């Protein structure tokens, strides 16, 4: 098993052991691609949502929120193109009877070639040391050049096949690349077919097609159909945005990689309505703003990259992904799409209702263009956890080396902000004092009281869930009203007075610092 696989396995078991994420319906052996967020998971997820929501709605006078219903009038999905075109190409292996996404099989093949390139680069880096110039190496090393060309040719052919719905050529590509089923090892494939990803259900009082309802596969359409309601009720002027967080459902063909690809997941989407012709300016603005948002919480720049779409969706005139270096490689975390006036025009046509904005400066009405930012809350959760979870060698109480598992999560996102610990549990004077402090702090932020086990083990448990501060109450506390405050990252312990705790913790966990870093000028 590779180091990366190990790291991923460790992450999944950490999420379970420490109450972040459980498999859905686990006692019935689980439901695939559905997950439940445990006590610390729900706190972290709420903090991620709050960071996103505030960075959109609080930080922009011209972005307002919405919470639309999951069920929508079925024609919504006809207008948006989802009924006819929200498909993934699937292929079955006749021997293992396993089903795959045909495009993902090819993409995995491309990833393997990229892996070879990265290996060459790592080797060369070691050989040349400081003198190594990656750009030059990439443009001159023949093996790298050959592999890059191979990758580009395959990616282009796949993109063309997908764009033209030429599924026979996607199958031919899989055969030419001699891609085998990872389970049976055989290349005995069926034809490639399109598979619609929308879940449907039935209205109680209407039978047949007429009562067919879809579970929304994206939150965006709830925003489009409410565009004028929101604009008129809040008197917004273009450019303005509508932000929404909510569940989305997709009947993914292959749902693997933990919470990366789920059938029920949560999206954080913002649609920004602009004057036609100004969309590229805003597209660049949001690319920049969203990258800053990711970096502000401490994600290193080399763990994030932009990836332009090879194959533009039917509604877009420009599209880019922000990819994150997950334990299984760089994959899409967020999409930024210039959606033109496609959605509003389609809804206008099918509903017969005008969805136009009267521009008082231009003295004319028009259907605005839209730039969208769309991020999966669960994927963001996975990115945060995989970046934060670390093993470190640190000195123990006797000064010997010991390994600790620590979740180095940004304090603003940490599920628990501070834990109050009596030094020992069987001294009532200490537990009473510690509970008193806890009862003061609980009004200000998510705080815990813990008296179980030796103090060292309690610190380790807090490290494992990412608590930025531990407050220890000892016998000196009873004398002079001071406590020790232990910093999760530096392990430094300082003596401070009880009255200082609240402000120290508040300053550390304040999201304000993040918003200063993410401020972007149009
Ligand atoms: P992918 O190519 O990985 O299937 P997509 O391009 O279909 O994703 P979008 O339709 O752009 O994804 O959705 C916006 C965001 O929603 C994605 O960037 C991702 O973070 C999230 N997302 C999409 N599908 C899923 C899923 N099945 N499980 C979890 N998150 C998802």
């Amino acid at each position: 098993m590779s180091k990366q696989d190990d790291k991923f396995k460790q992450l999944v078991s950490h999420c379970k052991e420490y109450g972040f994420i459980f498999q859905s319906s686990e006692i019935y052996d689980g439901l695939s691609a559905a997950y439940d967020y445990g006590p610390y998971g729900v706190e972290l997820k709420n903090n991620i949502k709050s960071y996103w929501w505030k960075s959109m709605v609080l930080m922009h006078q011209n972005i307002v929120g919405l919470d639309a219903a999951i069920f929508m009038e079925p024609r919504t999905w006809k207008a948006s193109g989802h009924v006819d075109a929200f498909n993934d190409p699937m292929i079955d292996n006749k021997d293992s009877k396993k089903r795959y996404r045909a495009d993902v099989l090819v993409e995995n093949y491309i990833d393997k070639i990229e892996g070879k390139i990265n290996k060459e680069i790592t080797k060369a880096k070691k050989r040349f040391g400081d003198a190594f110039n990656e750009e030059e190496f990439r443009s001159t090393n023949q093996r790298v050049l050959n592999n890059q060309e191979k990758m580009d040719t395959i990616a282009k052919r796949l993109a063309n096949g997908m764009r033209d719905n030429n599924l026979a050529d996607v199958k031919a590509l899989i055969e030419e690349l001699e891609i085998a089923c990872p389970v049976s090892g055989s290349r005995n494939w069926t034809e490639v077919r399109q598979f619609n990803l929308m879940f449907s259900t039935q209205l109680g009082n209407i039978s047949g097609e007429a009562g067919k309802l879809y579970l929304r596969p994206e939150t965006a359409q709830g925003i489009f159909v409410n565009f004028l309601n929101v604009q008129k009720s809040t008197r917004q002027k273009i450019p303005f945005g509508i932000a929404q967080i909510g569940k989305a459902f997709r009947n993914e063909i292959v749902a693997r990689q933990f919470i990366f690809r789920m059938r029920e997941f949560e999206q954080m989407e913002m649609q920004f309505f602009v004057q036609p012709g100004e969309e590229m300016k805003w597209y660049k603005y949001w690319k920049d703003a969203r990258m800053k948002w990711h970096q502000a919480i401490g994600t290193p720049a080399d763990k994030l990259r932009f990836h332009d779409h090879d194959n533009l969706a039917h509604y877009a005139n420009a599209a880019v992904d922000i990819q994150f270096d997950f334990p299984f490689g760089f994959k899409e975390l967020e999409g930024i799409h210039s959606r033109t006036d496609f959605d509003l025009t389609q809804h206008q046509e099918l509903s017969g209702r005008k969805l136009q904005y009267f521009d008082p400066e231009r003295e004319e009405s028009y259907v605005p263009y839209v730039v969208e930012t769309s991020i999966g809350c669960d994927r963001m959760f996975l990115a945060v956890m995989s970046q934060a979870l670390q093993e470190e060698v640190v000195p123990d109480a006797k000064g010997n080396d010991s390994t600790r598992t620590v979740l180095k999560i940004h304090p603003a996102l940490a599920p628990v902000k501070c834990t109050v610990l009596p030094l020992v549990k069987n001294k009532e004077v200490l537990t009473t004092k510690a509970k008193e402090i806890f009862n003061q702090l609980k009004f200000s932020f998510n705080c815990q009281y813990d008296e179980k086990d030796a103090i060292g083990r309690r610190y380790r448990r807090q490290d494992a869930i990412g608590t930025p501060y531990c407050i220890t109450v000892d016998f000196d506390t009873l004398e002079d009203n001071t406590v020790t405050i232990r910093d999760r990252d530096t392990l430094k312990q300082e003596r401070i007075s009880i009255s200082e705790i609240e402000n120290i913790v508040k300053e550390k966990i304040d999201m304000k610092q993040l918003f200063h870093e993410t401020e972007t000028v149009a």
Side-chain angles (χ1 to χ4, degrees):
M1 192 183 294
S2 74
K3 244 186 178 168
Q4 281 191 331
D5 289 341
D6 267 353
K7 199 169 173 231
F8 190 39
K9 272 201 159 164
Q10 193 200 349
L11 178 80
V12 175
S13 63
H14 190 90
C15 282
K16 181 174 177 194
E17 186 181 347
Y18 287 95
F20 283 89
I21 296 173
F22 309 122
Q23 171 82 63
S24 159
S25 340
E26 197 192 63
I27 59 165
Y28 293 103
D29 296 332
L31 176 69
S32 80
Y35 290 90
D36 301 337
Y37 285 82
Y40 298 121
V42 66
E43 295 292 344
L44 170 55
K45 199 178 182 202
N46 283 340
N47 292 340
I48 290 172
K49 288 195 248 183
S50 164
Y51 174 41
W52 184 86
W53 187 263
K54 288 179 178 164
S55 76
M56 290 292 175
V57 177
L58 253 61
M59 296 307 295
H60 297 88
Q61 279 290 301
N62 59 348
I63 298 183
V64 289
L66 181 75
D67 184 13
I70 287 173
F71 287 138
M72 299 183 72
E73 217 284 336
R75 280 176 299 173
T76 309
W77 305 109
K78 183 74 190 159
S80 66
H82 284 80
V83 171
D84 299 317
F86 193 53
N87 301 320
D88 273 342
M90 66 177 184
I91 189 166
D92 292 347
N93 182 267
K94 291 182 191 162
D95 299 314
S96 67
K97 310 271 184 262
K98 291 272 174 210
R99 179 162 289 175
Y100 299 92
R101 250 175 77 174
D103 55 335
V104 171
L105 285 179
V106 177
E107 278 164 10
N108 288 346
Y109 186 92
I110 295 173
D111 285 348
K112 277 192 194 142
I113 309 178
E114 194 179 15
K116 282 186 192 163
I117 296 180
N118 290 340
K119 247 190 194 161
E120 293 279 354
I121 289 171
T122 314
K123 244 175 32 195
K125 249 185 204 159
K126 261 194 201 152
R127 191 157 15 110
F128 296 114
D130 287 345
F132 182 66
N133 178 335
E134 185 175 326
E135 211 173 308
E136 192 186 320
F137 184 77
R138 276 182 184 273
S139 60
T140 51
N141 181 284
Q142 203 48 50
R143 269 195 303 270
V144 170
L145 285 172
N146 291 348
N147 275 327
Q148 189 62 51
E149 194 191 339
K150 208 166 151 191
M151 270 172 70
D152 295 344
T153 312
I154 298 170
K156 194 152 189 234
R157 188 158 153 204
L158 174 67
N160 288 345
M162 299 288 290
R163 186 196 58 213
D164 304 338
N165 202 18
N166 186 352
L167 300 182
D169 196 55
V170 176
K171 160 110 191 259
L173 183 59
I174 290 173
E175 282 174 340
E176 280 167 39
L177 297 174
E178 300 187 346
I179 296 175
C181 165
V183 176
S184 67
S186 88
R187 290 185 228 127
N188 195 7
W189 296 110
T190 61
E191 296 307 307
V192 177
R193 281 162 297 156
Q194 290 289 19
F195 178 80
N196 192 287
L197 297 184
M198 279 199 294
F199 278 106
S200 64
T201 185
Q202 195 70 27
L203 262 179
N205 54 352
I206 305 172
S207 62
E209 269 303 296
K212 191 173 177 184
L213 279 189
Y214 294 103
L215 272 72
R216 67 180 176 198
E218 61 175 27
T219 58
Q221 299 305 324
I223 295 180
F224 292 128
V225 299
N226 276 299
F227 153 70
L228 273 188
N229 282 339
V230 174
Q231 188 268 323
K232 287 188 172 150
S233 57
T234 57
R235 298 180 306 149
Q236 287 289 345
K237 280 194 187 147
I238 271 179
F240 79 95
I242 304 177
Q244 174 165 229
I245 299 178
K247 288 263 178 162
F249 304 82
R250 293 184 187 178
N251 199 357
E252 298 281 1
I253 298 167
V254 192
R256 260 182 299 158
Q257 294 165 323
F258 197 36
I259 55 170
F260 180 80
R261 191 175 298 288
M262 299 152 89
R263 297 204 168 96
E264 172 185 342
F265 58 100
E266 216 162 350
Q267 287 186 316
M268 308 189 283
E269 295 198 300
M270 194 280 300
Q271 311 294 327
F272 202 67
F273 300 90
V274 304
Q275 263 185 35
E278 293 216 323
E279 70 274 15
M280 289 327 275
K281 172 180 132 192
W282 290 108
Y283 177 71
K284 284 197 194 85
Y285 170 89
W286 284 110
K287 261 180 82 171
D288 182 31
R290 295 304 303 148
M291 188 54 104
K292 279 188 179 158
W293 184 89
H294 287 283
Q295 290 178 357
I297 53 164
T299 308
D302 65 354
K303 288 261 170 190
L304 294 159
R305 70 181 187 195
F306 287 117
H307 175 79
D308 285 315
H309 282 206
D310 298 318
N311 179 22
L312 284 181
H314 56 277
Y315 51 73
N317 68 359
V320 68
D321 292 337
I322 293 180
Q323 294 186 331
F324 173 79
D325 190 7
F326 288 98
F328 37 85
F330 272 99
K331 297 273 178 235
E332 172 177 346
L333 170 59
E334 170 159 10
I336 298 150
H337 310 127
S338 173
R339 288 180 84 125
T340 67
D341 58 356
F342 175 83
D343 302 86
L344 291 178
T345 306
Q346 287 286 106
H347 286 306
Q348 191 169 256
E349 273 172 23
L350 212 71
S351 68
R353 299 276 188 88
K354 278 222 157 93
L355 287 174
Q356 296 189 351
Y357 167 77
F358 178 75
D359 191 326
E361 273 145 45
R362 286 171 50 169
E363 293 192 340
E364 57 171 344
S365 294
Y366 54 82
V367 177
Y369 269 44
V370 173
V371 176
E372 158 186 85
T373 74
S374 173
I375 176 168
C377 184
D378 314 270
R379 270 192 204 176
M380 184 61 196
F381 188 109
L382 185 58
V384 168
M385 285 297 282
S386 46
Q387 174 61 28
L389 189 62
Q390 295 173 20
E391 286 207 332
E392 271 188 349
V393 177
V394 291
D396 65 14
K398 292 179 189 141
N400 299 322
D401 279 355
S402 76
T403 306
R404 72 161 177 165
T405 302
V406 55
L407 201 61
K408 287 200 170 167
I409 203 164
H410 194 288
L413 300 183
V416 177
K417 307 302 187 189
C418 156
T419 294
V420 185
L421 316 156
L423 187 61
V424 285
K425 85 164 179 190
N426 49 7
K427 286 276 182 260
E428 207 185 323
V429 275
L430 292 187
T431 55
T432 308
K433 187 74 184 166
K435 281 180 193 161
E436 198 183 285
I437 297 173
F438 164 76
N439 278 322
Q440 279 171 22
L441 295 176
K442 72 179 181 192
F443 291 99
S444 304
F445 34 73
N446 197 355
C447 191
Q448 273 193 349
Y449 169 83
D450 187 11
E451 58 176 33
K452 197 170 170 278
D453 296 327
I455 190 83
R457 289 185 68 175
R458 279 182 275 162
Y459 284 152
R460 292 296 152 87
R461 202 160 49 221
Q462 294 302 326
D463 287 346
I465 61 166
T467 308
Y469 285 126
C470 285
I471 306 293
T472 308
V473 175
D474 56 22
F475 291 101
D476 287 346
T477 311
L478 307 174
E479 302 293 318
D480 59 5
N481 270 329
T482 63
V483 290
T484 58
I485 184 165
R486 172 188 180 270
D487 183 296
R488 176 196 71 197
D489 299 336
T490 63
L491 291 173
K492 269 202 191 124
Q493 303 205 22
E494 272 181 74
R495 199 103 209 149
I496 59 166
S497 85
I498 293 173
S499 59
E500 289 176 284
I501 306 174
E502 185 174 334
N503 280 344
I504 292 177
V505 179
K506 266 189 174 163
E507 194 181 327
K508 183 101 168 175
I509 63 171
D510 198 345
M511 278 190 191
K512 221 177 348 182
Q513 39 179 325
L514 299 177
F515 300 135
H516 281 301
E517 281 172 50
T518 52
E519 216 169 6
T520 308
V521 195

